[in-house]
Amino acid sequence: MQLKRYQEDTLDALRAFLSSARRSDPALAYAAALQDPERARRLGAWANGYRRLDALPDVPYVCLRVPTGGGKTLLAANTIGVARDCWIERDYPLVLWLAPTDMIRRQTLAALNDRRHLYRQSLDADFNGRVRVFDIEDFTLLRPHDLRDNCCIVVGTIQTLRVSNTAGRKVYAHNEHLESHFALLPRDLPGYEARPEGGPKYSFANLMHALRPLMIVDEAHNAVTGLTREMQGRVNPCAIVEFTATPRFNSNLLYSVTGWELKEAEMIKLPIRLTEHRNDWRSAVAAARIERDRLAEKARADKDFIRPIVLLQAQAANREVTVEALRKHLEENEGLAPQKIKVATGDQRELEGVDLFARDCEVEYVITVEALKEGWDCSFAYVLCSVASVNSEVSVEQLLGRVLRMPYVKRRADPDLNRAYAHLSEPNFRAAAESIAKSLEKMGFEEQDSRQLIENDQYELDADGLFAPRAEPPPVFSAPAPEASVAALRALKDDRVSVEVKDGAAILQVKGYLAPELVGEIAAALPEAARAGFHEAAASYQAQAHPRLPPAARGESFVVPALMAFVQGAFVFAEPETVAAAFEWSPRACDAALTPQDYLPGETSERFEIDIIGARLSLSRLSDQDLMVLNPPVAGFANVNFATWLEARLRDPYLKAHDVRDYVLRALAHLGGDRGLSMTALWGDKYRLLEALRGKLARQREEARKDAHQLFLLAPEARVAISHDEGFRFHARMFETARLQPPGRWRFQKHFLGPDRVPALDGAPEGEETQCALALDALDEVEFWVRNASQHRDAFRLPLATQNFYPDFVARLKDGRIFIVEYKGAGYLTNDESRAKRAIGEVWEKAGGGLFLMVEKMKHGLDMRQQLEAKLRL
């Protein structure tokens, strides 16, 4: 199963933290994680130091922030394997999984027990199918052999364990069914809750305290109080990983995923198209129905089955627009059939047993108040309509997340099916927009992002980040249309065309660019007598409005040639993986010896067995053979079997299994022979050994990739070329999913996508990169330029040895040449990465791609603009 990039990055951050914590200390590991500038930037104000738990100061405790719709549960499932390898060091860990509510607990249980579900498949892949899932209410079913032979996950709620007085709670009560566990455990472990007659209670809580589970907490912002800390001390977890969309400042936030990353990963529908209805709930409902019908027509052309659904938020029972009043309005005034409408409230649960994804399901409207706020997800929900003012007692926050999930987690071909829609009964747009923005923030979206994700033709963000009427609304072509042509005009497959009929008169409108081919299509739909007048009006509009549109909106596009490398007898698109794959490298050819700098066994201590023989207390040292019984390896233990265990965990799609196995066997032979280490001791330290082998292999592969990069791209004998056919095409829908530059004092005049669609620049709004963009924008030689969004799948890129390089700016000059500009601040100019970027940029330039320049704040007495001008004069 392939995770999304942001999910891989999140798990990588956790993996690095736990590995570092194992070698040092959680607080030091957290501080080391924040040394990464990109990670620190992500965390922002949350990067404020590690806070130890009072009851568990040495236990790693971190929070991972994922906005609503980002797949927190899937990440949590994958976290278990990461924690096993990097911290727990036990083949089959015990996990206590705490959900925020009973409804989500039941859903999590169902998903983790379903072998067809993605969550369970992830667990089965990590543990070779050796997974058992228990409801916390059924903890008596847990047996010692389950814990020995399986990854056991106990799913409960925070409320089950969070009590100040443990009397009367099953999880804290003595239970004889657990005696078989305690027969294998110490009787005097500190922290046990004791029975009145002495000895530990055979309770679930005491069992957890002794076995030290990995604790996974879902939506921890609902759980963290002083009492919860007391609960964590009782359970005594070995590590705590929280998942939430809205972390607190004391939660040791380790990684933060942005809403833009979810959009780029095709997880959610964004932006949100917001329309306010001036305290007229009937018009909001009517508009929501029209929106749904329009989307349904578009969905019929989609390759997958989609039935758009409207979520209608009614008012409470003591107000005007109750659930029943809204249902009656839909049936009597909107003419909807009863079977198309379902009610989902605390008292009316008409969705139970209904498969909304079924092709024969007729449900198109769901009425609720707030009952959908937990555990209800249907990606067919596209339109939210709230009949109550957003300032009333009923909030739209919980329902908003239900219209954001993307069908089939795949961007649709029609851009309108990639948006969500909100119709609010609200007297002004600002109030409606602020409500939606605040709701997005509560769902985990960044404050500066939430307002950018709201779309409206008449309003934009001003320099203060507030919603204001657009200084220059997008032009709209408008002309009368004969009534006889209305049907034909509405049938045109162009999102910019609309026809409104008011007071018996039809008005044709076209937003933005009036393309020549569209003019022809519209003229063909009009009666012949009306065509001459239409052509005249269209020509006048094109002459006046088109010059105001940015190049992309006028239908322009351009291609930036790609760099090609000659490998294995042919020119291929130069990507790091492609170049590395052409370089013959195998672990079989690498030195497998682990030096003391690569690996030192963990701290060893002598272990003793205490027993009573006759009437005397006996104390004896445990031998290696005794330890093997306590922590047995695979059957028939030998180097070969140990190698099997290691090789299975070092598997890589780019390496042959037998080559990895050879590498591991040679490493074990060296450790046991040249270094004289006991195989038994190594088996006991197998997870640290695994980490050492993985690290050495990674370093050796990185060196090989650098050699390949040098051989095929940088060496004097390297053959490179450029290709327009393989090049990067820049067009109007470019960077639709990219995070945008927040409003500021400067308004770019030559940005290819327009001044309102500039992908976000690095640094402060008025910082050095912005100054570089302004210098580029002011050059007479530049026809237009575009901010090249880093890491975006559509962005122009050049290969480095182990990753891609995304230059900051791409410009087309008036003479047709391409000008690539990368800005580098003083702190990065001399590092290895900057040198590598400059080198590959110059290779692309010499191959005939265009001009490349790395700009500095000041260079040889030249400021940014002067450096750009000097390059253009060469």
Side-chain angles (χ1 to χ4, degrees):
M1 182 208 59
Q2 183 64 45
L3 294 175
K4 301 289 187 179
R5 175 170 180 154
Y6 73 86
Q7 294 170 330
E8 293 279 13
D9 290 346
T10 303
L11 293 174
D12 284 346
L14 179 63
R15 186 177 291 111
F17 166 77
L18 291 176
S19 296
S20 178
R22 181 169 59 187
R23 294 190 298 269
S24 57
D25 171 86
L28 293 176
Y30 187 79
L34 296 189
Q35 295 302 308
D36 181 343
E38 167 60 18
R39 194 165 298 166
R41 183 194 66 77
R42 280 177 174 273
L43 299 186
W46 281 285
N48 56 357
Y50 184 82
R51 289 171 172 77
R52 300 179 187 271
L53 294 175
D54 292 339
L56 304 165
D58 297 323
V59 168
Y61 158 54
V62 289
C63 177
L64 303 173
R65 178 178 184 259
V66 184
T68 298
K72 290 190 292 293
T73 310
L74 178 60
L75 275 170
N78 279 273
T79 288
I80 300 171
V82 171
R84 172 200 61 191
D85 293 344
C86 301
W87 178 257
I88 301 174
E89 300 185 356
R90 195 163 64 234
D91 286 350
Y92 301 113
L94 172 63
V95 181
L96 182 60
W97 186 310
L98 299 178
T101 67
D102 198 54
M103 178 185 291
I104 294 179
R105 174 186 66 85
R106 292 196 302 269
Q107 289 181 333
T108 304
L109 269 170
L112 295 181
N113 273 310
D114 183 357
R115 292 187 180 275
R116 298 168 300 177
H117 199 286
L118 194 59
Y119 305 159
R120 179 55 183 265
Q121 289 174 353
S122 297
L123 290 166
D124 284 342
D126 279 341
F127 296 97
N128 296 316
R130 307 292 290 270
V131 178
R132 295 211 62 193
V133 182
F134 299 85
D135 189 334
I136 198 169
E137 294 180 357
D138 300 325
F139 62 78
T140 56
L141 300 177
L142 192 64
R143 295 287 182 262
H145 62 82
D146 293 321
L147 296 168
R148 183 190 65 216
D149 300 332
N150 300 276
C151 170
C152 292
I153 303 172
V154 181
V155 183
T157 63
I158 293 146
Q159 291 76 13
T160 305
L161 294 167
R162 187 174 60 189
V163 290
S164 54
N165 182 359
T166 61
R169 286 295 179 102
K170 284 176 58 178
V171 295
Y172 293 103
H174 183 78
N175 193 309
E176 296 295 339
H177 288 95
L178 299 179
E179 183 178 4
S180 59
H181 293 283
F182 286 90
L184 304 172
L185 296 171
R187 293 180 57 81
D188 57 351
L189 194 69
Y192 271 158
E193 193 171 8
R195 288 180 289 173
E197 62 272 27
K201 285 183 179 180
Y202 297 165
S203 69
F204 175 77
N206 274 349
L207 182 63
M208 293 296 101
H209 188 89
L211 298 180
R212 306 204 65 198
L214 167 68
M215 182 184 286
I216 289 178
V217 187
D218 185 5
E219 289 299 346
H221 67 281
N222 292 330
V224 179
T225 66
L227 203 56
T228 301
R229 290 288 180 265
E230 182 183 350
M231 174 203 77
Q232 290 167 348
R234 281 180 184 151
V235 174
N236 194 30
C238 66
I240 302 172
V241 183
E242 298 179 350
F243 293 86
T244 184
T246 52
R248 305 160 321 284
F249 281 104
N250 62 344
S251 59
N252 296 338
L253 188 63
L254 179 67
Y255 197 83
S256 178
V257 177
T258 69
W260 293 104
E261 287 176 298
L262 266 60
K263 183 181 179 183
E264 168 67 13
E266 305 181 8
M267 297 289 288
I268 55 177
K269 313 181 196 98
L270 285 173
I272 299 167
R273 188 99 182 142
L274 174 61
T275 307
E276 87 282 11
H277 300 270
R278 315 272 174 173
N279 281 337
D280 183 358
W281 67 268
R282 294 173 184 82
S283 69
V285 172
R289 183 194 173 180
I290 292 170
E291 196 89 75
R292 199 217 77 84
D293 291 347
R294 183 180 68 85
L295 294 171
E297 181 66 28
K298 291 177 176 290
R300 277 190 276 274
D302 197 272
K303 67 182 183 68
D304 295 311
F305 172 70
I306 299 174
R307 183 186 353 93
I309 291 174
V310 178
L311 296 186
L312 295 121
Q313 186 177 37
Q315 292 178 318
N318 60 343
R319 303 296 297 274
E320 175 193 1
V321 193
T322 63
V323 167
E324 288 309 314
L326 191 50
R327 187 205 289 265
K328 182 178 179 181
H329 175 81
L330 289 172
E331 292 179 3
E332 295 182 359
N333 297 91
E334 296 297 332
L336 296 176
Q339 66 268 24
K340 293 182 181 292
I341 307 167
K342 294 293 182 184
V343 173
T345 65
D347 299 325
Q348 295 172 269
R349 300 180 180 180
E350 297 176 6
L351 286 178
E352 289 190 358
V354 176
D355 182 4
L356 291 172
F357 294 103
R359 288 179 178 268
D360 58 356
C361 177
E362 297 185 65
V363 177
E364 297 173 353
Y365 297 83
V366 175
I367 305 174
T368 186
V369 177
E370 54 182 342
L372 298 180
K373 66 182 181 180
E374 291 172 351
W376 188 92
D377 292 313
C378 177
S379 56
F380 286 179
Y382 265 86
V383 184
L384 170 64
C385 177
S386 179
V387 302
S389 168
V390 293
N391 293 319
S392 70
E393 77 285 355
V394 179
S395 171
V396 300
E397 171 196 337
Q398 301 290 356
L399 287 180
L400 183 61
R402 307 310 168 203
V403 299
L404 292 187
R405 284 170 170 78
M406 180 72 79
Y408 308 102
V409 196
K410 186 70 178 174
R411 187 172 294 114
R412 318 320 303 170
D414 191 310
D416 279 2
L417 294 175
N418 297 325
R419 292 181 172 88
Y421 300 83
H423 292 267
L424 304 186
S425 176
E426 183 60 36
N428 65 77
F429 177 81
R430 289 188 186 89
E434 287 298 330
S435 170
I436 295 292
K438 289 177 181 177
S439 295
L440 286 169
E441 290 165 29
K442 291 179 182 178
M443 291 158 57
F445 293 86
E446 299 283 357
E447 181 179 357
Q448 64 267 33
D449 293 344
S450 61
R451 285 159 176 76
Q452 291 186 17
L453 296 172
I454 298 169
E455 186 178 80
N456 186 276
D457 284 341
Q458 302 305 315
Y459 288 84
E460 65 180 349
L461 292 173
D462 61 18
D464 297 319
L466 303 174
F467 290 101
R470 287 187 180 274
E472 187 177 357
V476 177
F477 170 76
S478 183
E483 188 174 348
S485 64
V486 169
L489 289 170
R490 284 179 172 169
L492 292 176
K493 301 296 184 183
D494 195 301
D495 299 329
R496 294 166 296 174
V497 179
S498 63
V499 182
E500 293 186 14
V501 180
K502 290 184 178 180
D503 302 324
I507 301 296
L508 165 69
Q509 291 188 327
V510 181
K511 295 179 182 178
Y513 182 56
L514 188 56
E517 58 271 21
L518 181 56
V519 170
E521 291 176 13
I522 293 173
L526 295 173
E528 189 169 348
R531 292 175 185 171
F534 164 72
H535 278 294
E536 184 179 343
S540 175
Y541 173 82
Q542 289 169 330
Q544 295 179 27
H546 283 189
R548 294 158 42 201
L549 296 172
R554 298 196 298 267
E556 291 195 36
S557 66
F558 68 102
V559 174
V560 179
L563 183 64
M564 310 291 285
F566 190 81
V567 297
Q568 297 180 341
F571 280 103
V572 298
F573 179 61
E575 288 269 50
E577 294 299 337
T578 306
V579 172
F583 186 76
E584 292 188 9
W585 175 80
S586 165
R588 191 179 287 273
C590 295
D591 176 20
L594 290 174
T595 67
Q597 288 73 35
D598 296 323
Y599 168 73
L600 283 174
E603 292 183 9
T604 57
S605 58
E606 293 185 297
R607 298 179 67 179
F608 297 86
E609 180 178 78
I610 302 173
D611 198 359
I612 295 177
I613 299 177
R616 299 186 60 184
L617 189 69
S618 171
L619 181 69
S620 59
R621 181 179 286 104
L622 290 175
S623 67
D624 278 359
Q625 287 72 26
D626 295 324
L627 290 172
M628 289 287 290
V629 172
L630 291 174
N631 191 13
V634 293
F637 176 71
N639 280 19
V640 173
N641 304 100
F642 196 175
T644 299
W645 187 93
L646 290 166
E647 182 263 318
R649 287 155 180 80
L650 289 171
R651 283 177 189 161
D652 186 297
Y654 299 102
L655 300 178
K656 295 177 181 177
H658 61 270
D659 288 344
V660 177
R661 187 176 185 81
D662 171 80
Y663 185 89
V664 170
L665 283 170
R666 287 188 288 118
L668 290 176
H670 170 76
L671 291 169
D674 295 358
R675 294 186 59 184
L677 298 176
S678 158
M679 286 297 112
T680 302
L682 289 173
W683 177 260
D685 199 37
K686 58 184 178 291
Y687 283 98
R688 293 183 70 255
L689 175 59
L690 174 65
E691 183 181 357
L693 284 168
R694 184 178 285 130
K696 179 151 188 156
L697 260 177
R699 291 190 297 274
Q700 289 170 329
R701 177 190 283 178
E702 183 171 338
E703 286 304 312
R705 291 172 71 113
K706 290 178 180 177
D707 291 342
H709 186 74
Q710 178 70 28
L711 176 65
F712 292 118
L713 291 168
L714 302 180
E717 64 273 18
R719 294 177 61 186
V720 295
I722 55 100
S723 170
H724 286 80
D725 292 339
E726 295 285 344
F728 300 84
R729 190 173 73 88
F730 285 69
H731 52 88
R733 294 185 62 183
M734 195 84 177
F735 302 142
E736 277 188 341
T737 59
R739 183 178 183 178
L740 300 180
Q741 178 75 357
R745 291 189 299 127
W746 307 107
R747 190 172 179 86
F748 298 113
Q749 301 301 310
K750 295 182 180 179
H751 193 264
F752 176 69
L753 300 173
D756 300 326
R757 288 189 56 205
V758 180
L761 298 161
D762 293 336
E766 310 294 332
E768 293 177 10
E769 193 165 288
T770 301
Q771 298 303 315
C772 184
L774 287 166
L776 185 63
D777 194 64
L779 292 177
D780 292 336
E781 295 90 340
V782 170
E783 182 180 4
F784 49 73
W785 63 276
V786 64
R787 161 64 165 153
N788 192 46
S790 180
Q791 306 296 328
H792 196 281
R793 61 183 180 180
D794 295 333
F796 171 70
R797 59 188 182 273
L798 291 169
L800 302 179
T802 59
Q803 62 185 345
N804 281 309
F805 161 41
Y806 298 82
D808 292 323
F809 307 108
V810 175
R812 191 172 81 178
L813 304 178
K814 291 176 180 177
D815 61 13
R817 289 181 298 168
I818 300 298
F819 187 17
I820 303 299
V821 177
E822 167 75 358
Y823 179 76
K824 270 290 168 274
Y828 301 94
L829 279 172
T830 59
N831 65 17
D832 291 342
E833 184 176 304
S834 292
R835 284 193 289 268
K837 288 178 177 180
R838 181 182 285 108
I840 197 64
E842 291 172 354
V843 167
W844 176 85
E845 180 181 81
K846 290 176 182 177
L851 302 176
F852 174 86
L853 178 65
M854 186 171 282
V855 175
E856 305 172 26
K857 186 175 182 180
M858 289 293 294
K859 184 177 182 180
H860 306 313
L862 301 179
D863 63 21
M864 296 181 196
R865 178 164 178 167
Q866 290 167 333
Q867 292 171 57
L868 292 166
E869 291 173 334
K871 181 68 177 182
L872 294 179
R873 287 195 297 268
L874 294 177

